[in-house]
Amino acid sequence: MTSPMMLATKTLAEEILDLRQERRAILLAHHYQEPEIQELADWVGDSLELARKAREFDGDVIAFCGVWFMAETAKVLNPNRIVVVPDREASCSLVESCPVEPIRAYRRMHPDHVIVSYVNTSIEVKAESDILCTSRNAVQVVNSVPKDKTILFLPDQNLGNYVKKQTGRENMKIWQGTCVVHATFPTRRLIEKLTEHPSAKIVAHPECPQGVLDMADFVGSTSALIDWCVASTAREFIVMTESGVNYSLHKLAPEKKFYFVANENCNCSECPYMRLNTLEKLRDALLNLDPRVELSEDVMRRARVPLERMLAVK
Ligand code: 13P
Ligand code: SF4
C-alpha cells in the first residue's frame, strides 16, 4: 500500500516544473543535454535558436541548460532577466583555446581587420569582436563582411576552414582552436561505420575534421542536421556530432535508424562540459537562483554590438 508520505514526495521533474512556475522561468536546453533535461525543457535547440528564444523571453528567470558561454549570450541579449545555469563548470574547449589578451594584441596590430568570432568564445572575446556567428549562420556572416577586408576567424579551425571553402574567401586567417568532441572523430572510424551500414547517409557538424566533412552528405548546425535527417527519404544515418541529438532524432523520426561514432578523446560522442548538467543541479539552480550569470555593464554593452549584428544577418 502506498503511504501518505510517499504520495507527498515529489519527483525531481515535478520539483523543477513547480519551481519553473513559481520563478516565472523558461527552461532552455541545448541538443547536447541529457535526455531527461531535454524532456522537461520549454525549448530545445541549437545555439542560434536558443539565443533568439532567450532574447524574446519576458518572464523573470532563464534557466540555461547548455554551456556557460551560451548563458552569457542569453544574459547580454536579455539583461533584465536572471540567467542561471545548472553547473558553472560547464565550459567549452573552444572557449578555453582562445584567451582575450592575444585577441586584444591582434586588434592593436591590425586595426583594419574584421574579427569574426564563433559564439563559442568568452564574453570578453565577444566584446573585442566585430561580429559573431554560430555554426548555422557562419557562411552568411562571413559573406556579409566586405570582400576587401581581411578577416580573423576564431576560435574553431575546422569551422573556419569549412567557411573559407564555402565562401571562397582567401583573405581569412583562422585561429587554431578545436572542439574536444568533434575534432577527435577519426575518419577511419567513420569509414568502418559506413562499411557496417553502407546505405546510411552521413551528416556532420562543421567542427569535424576535413576528412569527415569530405565524406558528409550534409554539413550543418545541430538543429540543421536534425531537420535534414527528418526530411530525408533515407532510412539510416551516421550522425557525426554529439549523441544528445539522438533525443530529437528519435522523437521526430522514430522509424529511422541513427548511428554515432566514438571519438578518440573519450571513446564516446558526448561533450564532457554539456554533460556536467543534471536534473538535481537544475533543480538547485532554480531554487537558489545560483550559479547565476553576472556581467559588468561595460562588457555587456560591448558584446551586444557584435551579437546584434549577427542576429541581423539574414
Ligand atoms: P550549434 O551551434 O550547432 O548548437 O553547436 C554548438 C556547439 O557547441 C557545437 O559543438
Ligand atoms: Fe564546446 Fe565541443 Fe562541447 Fe560544443 S561539443 S560545447 S564546441 S566542447
Side-chain angles (χ1 to χ4, degrees):
M1 207 174 85
T2 315
S3 74
M5 192 63 189
M6 278 175 76
L7 280 176
T9 308
K10 281 197 240 173
T11 64
L12 250 183
E14 286 164 347
E15 280 186 73
I16 290 167
L17 294 177
D18 287 352
L19 280 164
R20 178 186 64 171
Q21 202 166 349
E22 280 165 37
R23 294 290 193 197
R24 294 195 347 109
I26 188 171
L27 308 183
L28 299 180
H30 190 268
H31 288 295
Y32 300 166
Q33 292 296 282
E34 295 290 346
E36 61 268 26
I37 293 183
Q38 297 193 47
E39 186 72 46
L40 285 187
D42 294 295
W43 191 266
V44 179
D46 67 14
S47 54
L48 184 62
E49 290 166 332
L50 296 177
R52 289 192 191 280
K53 282 284 157 200
R55 185 168 66 158
E56 72 194 27
F57 176 61
D58 63 359
D60 294 338
V61 176
I62 298 171
F64 208 112
C65 302
V67 287
W68 182 251
F69 76 79
M70 295 179 180
E72 284 182 330
T73 302
K75 180 71 183 171
V76 171
L77 291 172
N78 203 341
N80 295 328
R81 314 292 158 227
I82 292 170
V83 180
V84 295
V85 295
D87 193 316
R88 173 63 186 91
E89 299 306 311
S91 179
C92 165
S93 62
L94 287 169
V95 175
E96 309 295 326
S97 78
C98 191
V100 72
E101 293 78 14
I103 309 305
R104 288 192 183 128
Y106 184 94
R107 168 67 88 207
R108 280 195 297 275
M109 280 167 68
H110 306 285
D112 55 324
H113 290 190
V114 175
I115 300 182
V116 179
S117 299
Y118 192 26
V119 287
N120 298 39
T121 42
S122 68
I123 202 68
E124 290 77 18
V125 169
K126 287 185 176 74
E128 298 299 326
S129 306
D130 294 293
I131 189 163
L132 301 173
C133 69
T134 74
S135 58
R136 198 180 178 101
N137 60 16
V139 168
Q140 292 91 319
V141 166
V142 165
N143 277 334
S144 76
V145 177
K147 296 236 173 319
D148 60 319
K149 291 278 186 191
T150 299
I151 289 177
L152 170 64
F153 185 95
L154 56 88
D156 187 50
Q157 58 173 290
N158 289 334
L159 177 64
N161 289 333
Y162 170 75
V163 171
K164 190 169 180 172
K165 218 169 158 187
Q166 293 295 306
T167 58
R169 184 128 193 168
E170 284 306 322
N171 53 351
M172 186 167 150
K173 299 178 184 188
I174 299 168
W175 196 260
Q176 296 299 294
T178 52
C179 160
V180 276
V181 182
H182 295 86
T184 59
F185 283 135
T187 310
R188 140 185 78 76
R189 287 195 184 163
L190 172 57
I191 294 169
E192 283 163 14
K193 195 61 89 181
L194 190 60
T195 312
E196 286 168 39
H197 308 285
S199 49
K201 295 285 178 201
I202 299 168
V203 296
H205 196 280
E207 290 171 8
C208 291
Q210 192 60 52
V212 169
L213 296 183
D214 287 344
M215 289 180 66
D217 295 286
F218 179 73
V219 175
S221 77
T222 319
S223 290
L225 297 183
I226 293 169
D227 294 346
W228 194 87
C229 292
V230 171
S232 169
T233 52
R235 313 291 298 165
E236 294 181 284
F237 303 84
I238 301 172
V239 185
M240 302 303 289
T241 191
E242 219 271 6
S243 54
V245 297
N246 209 20
Y247 174 83
S248 291
L249 286 169
H250 269 291
K251 202 167 162 180
L252 297 169
E255 73 291 359
K256 295 183 179 177
K257 288 203 163 71
F258 303 100
Y259 310 112
F260 291 84
V261 169
N263 65 26
E264 307 262 36
N265 218 18
C266 62
N267 213 21
C268 68
S269 40
E270 294 184 354
C271 171
Y273 304 100
M274 289 275 185
R275 302 297 180 131
L276 286 175
N277 294 334
T278 61
L279 280 186
E280 285 85 352
K281 293 178 193 173
L282 171 58
R283 186 264 323 270
D284 293 346
L286 280 165
L287 194 62
N288 306 321
L289 296 182
D290 184 71
R292 186 190 301 206
V293 180
E294 274 168 315
L295 302 169
S296 78
E297 283 302 326
D298 177 59
V299 83
M300 284 205 283
R301 181 181 49 76
R302 290 187 297 123
R304 193 170 299 122
V305 176
L307 261 172
E308 291 291 352
R309 279 189 191 135
M310 169 187 85
L311 293 174
V313 170
K314 292 286 167 241

